[in-house]
Amino acid sequence: MRWPTIAVGLVGYLLLFGVLTIQDQLAGPQPVPYTEFKNQVANKNVGALFARGNSIQGELKKAAAVPDEQGRTYQQFSTERPTFATDDLLAELTGGAATVRATPLVAQRGFLANLLISFAPMLLLVAFYVWMFKRQQGAMGGLLGGGKKKRVDPETVRVTFDDVAGIDEVEAEINEVVDFLKSPEKYRRLGARAPKGVLLAGAPGTGKTLLARATAGEANVPFFSASASEFIEMIVGVGASRVRELFTEARKVAPAIIFIDEIDTIGRARGGARALGGHDEREQTLNQILTEMDGFSGHEGVVVLAATNRPDVLDPALMRPGRFDRQIIVHPPDHKGRVEILRVHTRKVPLAADVNLEQLANSTPGMTGADLANLVNEAALLAARRTQDAVQQRDLTDALEKVQLGTARNVVIPEAERRRTAYHEAGHALLGMLQPGADPVRKVSIIPRGRALGVTLSTPESDRYGFDANYLRGRIIGALGGMAAEQEVFNIVTTGAESDLEMVTRIARSMVGRWGMSERIGTLSVLPAEGDPRMFGISNGLLDAVDEEVRRITDECYAEARRLLRDNRDKLDAIVIQLLLRESLDEQEIYAAAGITRTVNKPSPTPIPA
Ligand code: ADP
Ligand code: MG
Ligand code: ZN
């Protein structure tokens, strides 16, 4: 049922009710005063009469005029006999030859009609519930009760490996799945067991969902997809039956792919931090998935793909042999991958001759496929707004600035605050430039964007895969540079350093508790990726020691930041003057303002795995 149906029902009900009431009133007996009735009795004009208690209904022999209403006459009437009346009504009536009847003159509204009217609100209510239920089912993908199947036919999935760029590393592995789905016979003949479950793991936006769809598109098999988060939204017990249905449907049309997105929402390890509620539902749904996968003999030709951003929190039961025993790590793209992804996404975008995607890829290390797709789209929007025929390099760099730094806000900042912000950002930038081995400073600006009053952007020279302790200390010193500069120059602490401090704490804690970079803690992994370390048998004493080490590192870094700024106060002031003048400085301008010649840093020769 849709809203219109309900509206029609409601209007219908009101109409019916209205008509019945009006009809009652129009066709029903005319209420008359008792005195009028007595007049008619006296005139011997009353033909028939029915009384119940003091209520009287009757019919006149000849129609009479309605009292006080001109032009209207009545024949049937009703009236009330006052209890204090002492007249001998019966005698008078029989004198006038009136029949006193045993049944009402006017038929009351039929029993059925009354029933209908009194039940109508309930019927409406029931109809409403049915509608709500149907709607909920629809929202659940409609696999219950034979709603529309959430199956995507290979014809409609027009995504192939051509649309996925920079996946050379994983292509071989994923091709194996494609080959199996394309010709399962080949494998069956040799008695080879097919891959049952493949887990795609990687940061958000790296193209896991895209890769799964492309696998189906490439193998030209049906693609059944479900997001694990939708299972949890369902009412209890439905998640498991939805899973059953998904597998049944897939088996029917095998070879096929079942794709479960965001599997970490239901597949979290016990003891990890879980959201409250929906607990049983997760477990039931997860168990159902595992049961279905265990039930495969391996010859059904159904491959289950799952994606997650958090492989580290998954229940190990998921990764047992015969389940998701293959893992494909999808990394953010490297320089070559970024160029290819930019090519894919600019296929349908007219590009001006000056566009250099290689150069754009240079300044986008760390960005994922989704980020790059977004960047291209922003640039196209900009070009359209500037009424150009093609996207120029300028649009791309402006879009990059917007994506990396946020949209500029149009607010007037008081001069004193502007100056303080300039020192804060100059502090970050100067320390970034002074640290040997730190990422070069790309941009400094005191134009307010989002919640921030200013930004300093540093990005690595080329892709980095691991970081050494020195580099991380440099990052902490740089991040503390803003706060240190404010304190050095104005001797105040402001709220402006909130996100800087968050980052500093995160890096320092990881250095000590996860990466073995503190001699006192040594080579212990104290802080788990998630959850309470004490659950993993870490003692309170060790945790206290971690806290002390974190404090020691940040204190040392802060002192170093202040010392560097004090020693280079002239450079700091020079950057601030330029910043206040121009609001936004690019790489060359910053280094020029500080009088520092930029040295090209190479990241550590042997990358350290992260
Ligand atoms: P994930 O599932 O890993 O979070 P998605 O697959 O949803 O990421 O990616 C979002 C979008 O980003 C895709 O629809 C696509 O437009 C773009 N994208 C991501 N990775 C790639 C890639 N390797 N090649 C081309 N486009 C990509
Ligand atoms: Mg996804
Ligand atoms: Zn800052």
Side-chain angles (χ1 to χ4, degrees):
M1 253 165 69
R2 293 267 166 271
W3 274 115
T5 328
I6 289 197
V8 165
L10 205 71
V11 168
Y13 169 67
L14 286 177
L15 269 181
L16 180 76
F17 190 76
V19 163
L20 282 174
T21 323
I22 292 168
Q23 185 202 352
D24 278 359
Q25 257 166 22
L26 285 183
Q30 169 72 34
V32 295
Y34 188 64
T35 43
E36 163 69 9
F37 165 67
K38 286 290 284 186
N39 282 342
Q40 297 299 337
V41 174
N43 291 345
K44 302 189 189 329
N45 192 24
V46 176
L49 185 129
F50 168 73
R52 179 181 283 148
N54 282 323
S55 296
I56 296 169
Q57 272 186 8
E59 199 169 11
L60 298 182
K61 288 176 187 156
K62 274 196 307 244
V66 179
D68 304 332
E69 267 187 73
Q70 257 134 45
R72 230 156 65 79
T73 60
Y74 73 97
Q75 191 138 21
Q76 290 189 335
F77 64 87
S78 67
T79 189
E80 287 288 318
R81 182 169 184 259
T83 40
F84 51 82
T86 50
D87 48 8
D88 189 356
L89 194 52
L90 186 62
E92 281 179 59
L93 281 168
T94 37
T99 332
V100 177
R101 299 172 43 144
T103 52
L105 266 101
V106 182
Q108 291 288 311
R109 190 187 290 150
F111 170 71
L112 221 70
N114 268 333
L115 200 72
L116 213 78
I117 285 181
S118 51
F119 270 113
M122 215 146 75
L123 284 177
L124 261 170
L125 218 66
V126 169
F128 180 68
Y129 274 120
V130 169
W131 173 72
M132 282 290 282
F133 188 67
K134 281 254 169 76
R135 224 176 67 124
Q136 203 170 18
Q137 274 190 341
M140 293 184 311
L143 265 171
L144 270 182
K148 61 175 187 312
K149 297 281 184 286
K150 227 203 167 178
R151 185 184 138 187
V152 185
D153 288 320
E155 288 78 38
T156 58
V157 182
R158 282 263 128 253
V159 185
T160 63
F161 285 164
D162 287 344
D163 302 295
V164 195
I167 51 153
D168 303 349
E169 312 176 301
V170 302
E171 198 159 358
E173 285 179 275
I174 212 80
N175 258 330
E176 210 174 305
V177 177
V178 172
D179 193 44
F180 167 76
L181 288 167
K182 267 184 173 164
S183 41
E185 285 305 319
K186 190 165 83 185
Y187 289 80
R188 209 168 295 160
R189 249 199 332 264
L190 293 172
R193 234 174 13 93
K196 275 189 191 174
V198 179
L199 184 67
L200 302 170
T206 44
K208 300 177 295 295
T209 308
L210 184 71
L211 192 57
R213 298 180 76 85
T215 308
E218 200 69 18
N220 203 31
V221 297
F223 182 70
F224 296 86
S225 89
S227 169
S229 56
E230 39 182 289
F231 293 131
I232 302 174
E233 288 159 21
M234 293 180 180
I235 27 178
V236 180
V238 176
S241 77
R242 167 91 207 268
V243 169
R244 213 172 301 131
E245 203 128 1
L246 211 56
F247 278 82
T248 315
E249 287 298 317
R251 260 191 222 109
K252 269 187 219 158
V253 294
I257 286 182
I258 294 177
F259 177 57
I260 301 168
D261 212 349
E262 300 162 36
I263 196 160
D264 46 293
T265 39
I266 53 168
R268 272 172 188 251
R270 269 152 268 230
R274 276 183 203 247
L276 282 173
H279 189 99
D280 284 347
E281 192 56 21
R282 283 164 209 248
E283 225 141 84
Q284 276 186 24
T285 310
L286 181 63
N287 285 342
Q288 189 62 42
I289 293 174
L290 296 181
T291 311
E292 294 284 350
M293 290 181 75
D294 288 345
F296 280 174
S297 65
H299 299 302
E300 281 90 347
V302 176
V303 175
V304 185
L305 297 184
T308 179
N309 305 330
R310 301 288 314 270
D312 50 327
V313 301
L314 286 184
D315 193 327
L318 269 171
M319 268 82 93
R320 262 194 238 134
R323 294 173 174 174
F324 294 100
D325 46 5
R326 281 187 193 213
Q327 287 192 39
I328 298 183
I329 312 284
V330 189
H331 289 289
D334 57 5
H335 180 267
K336 181 167 152 280
R338 286 197 298 276
V339 176
E340 284 169 16
I341 292 173
L342 285 170
R343 290 230 170 86
V344 166
H345 287 281
T346 48
R347 270 195 308 222
K348 293 196 182 95
V349 178
L351 295 179
D354 72 332
V355 169
N356 184 341
L357 295 181
E358 297 266 346
Q359 194 188 324
L360 192 62
N362 274 335
S363 38
T364 49
M367 280 173 74
T368 63
D371 295 333
L372 294 170
N374 181 33
L375 170 65
V376 170
N377 188 48
E378 287 288 343
L381 286 175
L382 257 183
R385 213 173 303 140
R386 293 168 173 170
T387 59
Q388 292 161 193
D389 301 330
V391 171
Q392 299 171 0
Q393 186 74 2
R394 189 173 59 107
D395 305 318
L396 287 163
T397 47
D398 287 353
L400 179 61
E401 183 173 318
K402 186 179 162 201
V403 169
Q404 283 179 328
L405 308 183
T407 320
R409 259 167 69 205
N410 222 344
V411 287
V412 180
I413 305 292
E415 196 47 42
E417 201 151 343
R418 239 181 120 235
R419 231 171 95 76
R420 225 168 50 218
T421 307
Y423 269 102
H424 180 108
E425 298 308 330
H428 284 309
L430 181 57
L431 293 187
M433 290 186 281
L434 290 175
Q435 311 279 337
D439 297 334
V441 180
R442 308 288 186 172
K443 191 142 216 145
V444 187
S445 130
I446 53 166
I447 301 168
R449 294 163 197 271
R451 276 179 58 218
L453 290 176
V455 270
T456 302
L457 182 74
S458 312
T459 54
E461 201 73 60
S462 53
D463 302 323
R464 302 191 83 124
Y465 299 98
F467 309 101
D468 56 46
N470 252 338
Y471 171 85
L472 292 170
R473 284 180 81 93
R475 281 279 294 270
I476 295 178
I477 293 172
L480 289 171
M483 189 175 170
E486 285 184 75
Q487 191 139 50
E488 204 55 47
V489 178
F490 303 101
N491 198 24
I492 49 163
V493 180
T494 67
T495 54
E498 179 176 342
S499 57
D500 295 338
L501 295 187
E502 274 167 18
M503 186 169 93
V504 165
T505 313
R506 202 170 55 237
I507 297 177
R509 277 182 74 78
S510 296
M511 284 173 74
V512 175
R514 296 166 62 85
W515 299 329
M517 291 175 180
S518 141
E519 262 178 40
R520 181 163 163 209
I521 303 300
T523 52
L524 287 181
S525 175
V526 181
L527 304 174
E530 209 186 42
D532 188 342
R534 276 164 294 205
M535 299 265 302
F536 298 84
I538 305 296
S539 73
N540 283 325
L542 194 53
L543 286 176
D544 288 346
V546 169
D547 289 345
E548 280 163 29
E549 279 296 280
V550 169
R551 172 159 296 279
R552 182 185 60 79
I553 290 178
T554 52
D555 283 352
E556 280 174 17
C557 287
Y558 191 59
E560 173 73 1
R562 288 193 63 166
R563 190 189 61 77
L564 279 169
L565 290 176
R566 214 175 301 133
D567 293 352
N568 294 278
R569 181 63 191 265
D570 53 330
K571 295 191 173 77
L572 185 68
D573 291 337
I575 300 174
V576 167
I577 289 169
Q578 287 303 312
L579 255 183
L580 287 174
L581 205 66
R582 288 192 250 178
E583 294 211 307
S584 184
L585 303 177
D586 68 19
E587 195 169 338
Q588 275 129 33
E589 292 169 330
I590 309 158
Y591 282 89
I596 296 175
T597 36
R598 176 141 129 45
T599 48
V600 175
N601 301 310
K602 288 263 175 285
S604 3
T606 40
I608 306 145

